[in-house]
Amino acid sequence: MSLTWSVPDLMQYRDEGLSFNKEVVLPLELFRSDPEIRSISPVEVKGVVEFSKRSLTFHLRLSGTMVLPCAMTLEDVDYPFQINSAETFLLTAGNANEDEGEFVHTIENEQIDLTPYLVEAIMVEKPMRVVSEKARAQDHLSGNDWALVDEETSKHQIDPRLEKLKKFFDD
């Protein structure tokens, strides 16, 4: 289901208001600028439209699940998200920067399509890294010539290449 409305259709709801609850399938191609997003479930979008003289404001709540790589093992991790967002569209062509602190969009061709704003909100809220429960549960991660150590262990550990220098300071 699409989240696209024409301005005349929206204006019919000016007096009684408009609220909606839709499930939207966002194609993975929309997230191509971030290859870490491996897949995304259908996104539930709940919203209310606020009408004013000069603008329409969509108050949105997005929820769904995206699949991201684990930072330690690169395995798929389901990452649930719940995002609140507000998008304001000017009804008349004017100064888009007049509402300081808000992002204001202009309406093109008398159509409002929320899809690019949903994609942007999801990408902004994507975490820098996620770690799977399986990787967290492992006591000691190591491999050939490497080991993952915590900060406390690394403070007490001496680099073997510098071990010989220690005897010069034992005088």
Side-chain angles (χ1 to χ4, degrees), residues 25-129:
V25 176
L26 298 172
L28 196 56
E29 296 84 47
L30 296 175
F31 298 93
R32 67 182 171 269
S33 64
D34 191 345
E36 285 191 343
I37 298 177
R38 294 181 175 174
S39 68
I40 188 161
S41 69
V43 178
E44 182 181 355
V45 182
K46 293 180 183 178
V48 176
V49 182
E50 179 183 318
F51 296 87
S52 72
K53 292 178 186 175
R54 299 178 311 177
S55 65
L56 299 171
T57 302
F58 289 80
H59 298 280
L60 307 170
R61 180 177 203 85
L62 317 173
S63 56
T65 303
M66 64 178 98
V67 176
L68 303 170
C70 172
M72 298 172 90
T73 63
L74 295 180
E75 293 176 349
D76 287 352
V77 177
D78 289 337
Y79 181 78
F81 61 87
Q82 202 164 40
I83 302 167
N84 292 319
S85 178
E87 303 294 337
T88 301
F89 295 86
L90 289 179
L91 290 172
T92 57
N95 186 2
N97 295 326
E98 62 191 20
D99 295 326
E100 202 167 311
E102 275 188 70
F103 291 104
V104 179
H105 313 289
T106 56
I107 299 172
E108 297 178 16
N109 301 326
E110 292 290 310
Q111 292 282 322
I112 295 176
D113 182 9
L114 292 179
T115 304
Y117 305 105
L118 301 180
V119 171
E120 179 183 12
I122 292 169
M123 290 182 67
V124 166
E125 293 294 324
K126 182 189 83 74
M128 295 293 268
R129 63 182 230 134

Side-chain angles (χ1 to χ4, degrees), residues 1-5 21-26 43 45 115 118:
M1 175 144 273
S2 163
L3 290 174
T4 304
W5 293 275
N21 185 357
K22 295 185 179 184
E23 190 171 89
V24 180
V25 176
L26 298 172
V43 178
V45 182
T115 304
L118 301 180

Side-chain angles (χ1 to χ4, degrees), residues 153-166:
T153 307
S154 69
K155 286 180 183 177
H156 300 295
Q157 192 175 23
I158 298 174
D159 187 339
R161 297 170 294 180
L162 302 175
E163 186 71 35
K164 292 179 184 177
L165 292 175
K166 188 177 179 183

